[in-house]
Amino acid sequence: MRLFWKLFCSMVAMTALACSISGFLLIDGQFRSGLDAQAEIAVTEHTILRRMLLREMQFSRSFSHADVARLAEDSAASLSRGGISFRLSREDGQTLSGIAPPAASALTSSLSQTQLGWEVLRAGSRFYLHAASPLEAEDGTLYLETWRDAGDLFSARQAQYNAFSYLLLGLILASALAALAVSAWITRPLGRLSEAARQMAAGELSRRVAVSSDDELGQLSRDFNLMAEQLERHVGELTDTARRQEDFLHAFAHETKTPLTSIIGYAELLLSRPAQPQLVRESAGHIFREGRRLESLSRRLLDLFVLEKGSFSPRPTELAPFLERVGAVLRPTLEQAGIRLEVRAAPGTAELEPDLMESVCLNLLDNARKAVDTEGRILLEGAPTADGYRIQVSDNGRGISPEDLGRITEPFYMVDKSRSRAQGGAGLGLTVCQRIVALHGGTLTFESTPGKGTRVSVDLKGGDGG
């Protein structure tokens, strides 16, 4: 059963039950109050008649049953203008005076010698209040019985029951309409949540639900929206990851296909024309360069594989001599290309793995070399910061556009593909750098202005300014 109908049926059932019980108790309470009042009147009448008989009987101890009977008739006639219904009988039930009650009763047989009792006596569809008490006469015990009509009281109760039945039916109908409105109001947010969930299942991850209250349903709506945001973000990340992986595979296939095609082509040329020394030298040179590019590509891929394992052993390292040593590795090559390298390293230490961090610095310097032309300048700097040590590589080269700046750490992404391939690049250097810096708990940031140059900063935590 749907929640809507559960709420509806529960509200109608509780309303009907509460009204029925309260109405019954109210009518029954009123009836009992009226019955007690009528019973008090009946007992009072019976008591008055009984006292009149006892007072007359006290003057003479020689009253026979016949004398008591005549006295009872006279007393009943004087008690009310029309007389009251009574009977005076013996112990065996024989009537001495008055008339028999409208229905048989065992009230007299249950009384003690001085007890006065009363009961509701039913005769067909009529109801009477029947009172009885014993009287001690000269020749034995007599029983005095009186009764009065109580049919109006029971008729009034039945009329109240009938009226309440119609009223209860109206209340149930009104509560049903109210329950429909309340159930629809309560379940409307659930309907919106269900619709939003179906739309999200169909792929519309941007779907959200309106929050219109601060109750549990409102909190559920807020939690649903939070879940939807997280899901959309995770799906977006997975989509971006899948796209990058696809781009990686396409780029990898392209990067390996080009040098392999060249190597195979020049090798076939060497086999077909071994007697041409100039052609052999040129072909061997092409094969050597393409082979070196494949070697660089495989080395970078191996670095990525090793970095994915995330296991290395950092140790305290003096950064000033470390950067001087890194600069010395590339300075001869840069000077041959007409590029000036300057190293400015302030004293300081940091927890790092020197070989991996050297790979980062060499990659950044190599990228700077590819970005500058002859008579360019590259600056390798190092300085302690408030919470670590910063290494910066700056150049006055071509710079990077804002569009390319956000993608330069993606595998195989190259700003200038033709120039990078011509210089032996494969688009994996910055990807490797980012992984290494992340393993050290640091950050890698880029600042670049097209036509003016680029600055790359490596911020390492836990450094000591010395």
Side-chain angles (χ1 to χ4, degrees):
M1 181 184 293
R2 295 179 58 188
L3 178 61
F4 175 88
W5 292 113
K6 288 181 180 179
L7 290 173
F8 172 79
C9 294
S10 299
M11 294 175 66
V12 172
M14 287 189 295
T15 301
L17 183 62
C19 291
S20 299
I21 294 176
S22 59
F24 171 78
L25 293 177
L26 179 61
I27 294 174
D28 186 69
Q30 291 179 343
F31 169 75
R32 291 189 177 277
S33 296
L35 182 62
D36 291 341
Q38 291 289 329
E40 185 176 358
I41 295 174
V43 170
T44 301
E45 291 177 344
H46 181 89
T47 302
I48 292 174
L49 179 59
R50 185 173 186 275
R51 286 179 178 177
M52 291 175 65
L53 289 174
L54 291 175
R55 187 169 55 249
E56 294 295 333
M57 291 170 62
Q58 286 178 353
F59 292 105
S60 176
R61 293 294 182 181
S62 61
F63 265 62
S64 63
H65 287 181
D67 296 332
V68 176
R70 286 192 301 271
L71 182 58
E73 292 177 357
D74 294 339
S75 300
S78 63
L79 185 61
S80 63
R81 183 174 300 177
I84 61 174
S85 299
F86 81 99
R87 181 178 77 157
L88 190 64
S89 60
R90 293 178 177 157
E91 287 184 290
D92 58 4
Q94 181 182 354
T95 301
L96 298 177
S97 179
I99 59 176
S105 172
L107 179 60
T108 56
S109 61
S110 63
L111 297 175
S112 63
Q113 292 296 321
T114 59
Q115 185 180 9
L116 187 153
W118 68 274
E119 66 177 351
V120 176
L121 190 63
R122 182 173 183 176
S125 61
R126 305 290 296 177
F127 294 88
Y128 301 89
L129 290 174
H130 178 219
S133 63
L135 293 173
E136 292 296 329
E138 184 180 40
D139 50 356
T141 301
L142 301 178
Y143 289 95
L144 176 64
E145 298 174 78
T146 60
W147 58 90
R148 61 183 291 114
D149 188 7
D152 293 343
L153 188 62
F154 284 89
S155 298
R157 183 180 68 169
Q158 187 60 44
Q160 288 177 336
Y161 278 144
N162 293 336
F164 179 72
S165 298
Y166 292 110
L167 178 61
L168 180 62
L169 180 60
L171 288 173
I172 291 175
L173 292 177
S175 66
L177 295 177
L180 282 174
V182 173
S183 299
W185 175 67
I186 291 177
T187 57
R188 186 179 297 114
L190 296 178
R192 291 197 296 263
L193 284 171
S194 179
E195 176 63 23
R198 287 194 295 269
Q199 292 180 2
M200 290 185 65
E204 190 178 343
L205 299 181
S206 60
R207 183 70 167 84
R208 301 293 184 271
V209 295
V211 180
S212 56
S213 64
D214 293 329
D215 55 10
E216 288 80 358
L217 292 176
Q219 184 61 44
L220 178 61
S221 299
R222 284 188 287 271
D223 292 341
F224 178 88
N225 289 338
L226 179 61
M227 178 200 69
E229 291 174 2
Q230 296 291 336
L231 181 61
E232 184 178 16
R233 182 174 63 82
H234 289 318
V235 170
E237 291 175 354
L238 290 175
T239 302
D240 291 341
T241 301
R243 178 185 58 79
R244 288 194 297 268
Q245 289 177 346
E246 185 177 359
D247 293 344
F248 180 92
L249 292 176
H250 291 167
F252 177 74
H254 179 76
E255 291 297 328
T256 55
K257 181 179 179 181
T258 301
L260 285 175
T261 301
S262 298
I263 290 172
I264 293 173
Y266 284 110
E268 290 178 347
L269 188 61
L270 285 175
L271 291 174
S272 63
R273 300 178 185 180
Q276 300 181 18
Q278 181 66 26
L279 180 61
V280 169
R281 284 194 300 271
E282 291 178 357
S283 300
H286 283 294
I287 291 174
F288 176 76
R289 285 191 296 273
E290 295 301 320
R292 289 295 299 271
R293 191 146 72 90
L294 275 179
E295 180 187 24
S296 175
L297 176 62
S298 62
R299 185 171 61 252
R300 298 293 171 78
L301 288 175
L302 181 60
D303 289 341
L304 283 177
F305 176 76
V306 172
L307 291 174
E308 288 293 338
K309 301 299 182 181
S311 58
F312 71 107
S313 300
R315 59 180 182 270
T317 303
E318 290 288 341
L319 273 305
F322 170 80
L323 294 178
E324 291 288 351
R325 185 172 64 253
V326 170
V329 173
L330 283 182
R331 183 173 279 110
T333 303
L334 295 175
E335 290 177 351
Q336 289 179 2
I339 300 172
R340 182 165 59 92
L341 173 63
E342 184 178 353
V343 179
R344 300 175 185 171
T349 61
E351 292 282 338
L352 52 85
E353 207 292 317
D355 292 336
L356 290 178
M357 192 53 61
E358 182 176 348
S359 177
V360 171
C361 294
L362 291 176
N363 270 297
L364 297 179
L365 292 171
D366 190 53
N367 282 342
R369 174 186 65 84
K370 297 171 185 176
V372 300
D373 297 319
T374 303
E375 297 184 358
R377 184 179 65 86
I378 299 175
L379 176 62
L380 175 60
E381 296 177 284
T385 60
D387 58 350
Y389 197 91
R390 175 176 293 172
I391 300 173
Q392 285 187 333
V393 176
S394 307
D395 65 69
N396 60 350
R398 291 178 301 278
I400 305 171
S401 68
E403 295 79 14
D404 292 322
L405 197 62
R407 299 188 61 189
I408 56 177
T409 57
E410 295 180 11
F412 291 113
Y413 187 82
M414 292 177 282
V415 176
D416 188 345
K417 293 180 173 56
S418 60
R419 184 181 180 92
S420 296
R421 290 194 183 100
Q423 295 177 338
L428 288 174
L430 291 179
T431 304
V432 174
C433 291
Q434 188 180 52
R435 300 285 178 86
I436 293 175
V437 173
L439 282 176
H440 284 79
T443 57
L444 184 67
T445 56
F446 299 87
E447 303 173 39
S448 185
T449 302
K452 293 185 177 181
T454 303
R455 176 185 294 128
V456 186
S457 300
V458 179
D459 287 292
L460 301 173
K461 294 184 180 299
D464 182 5

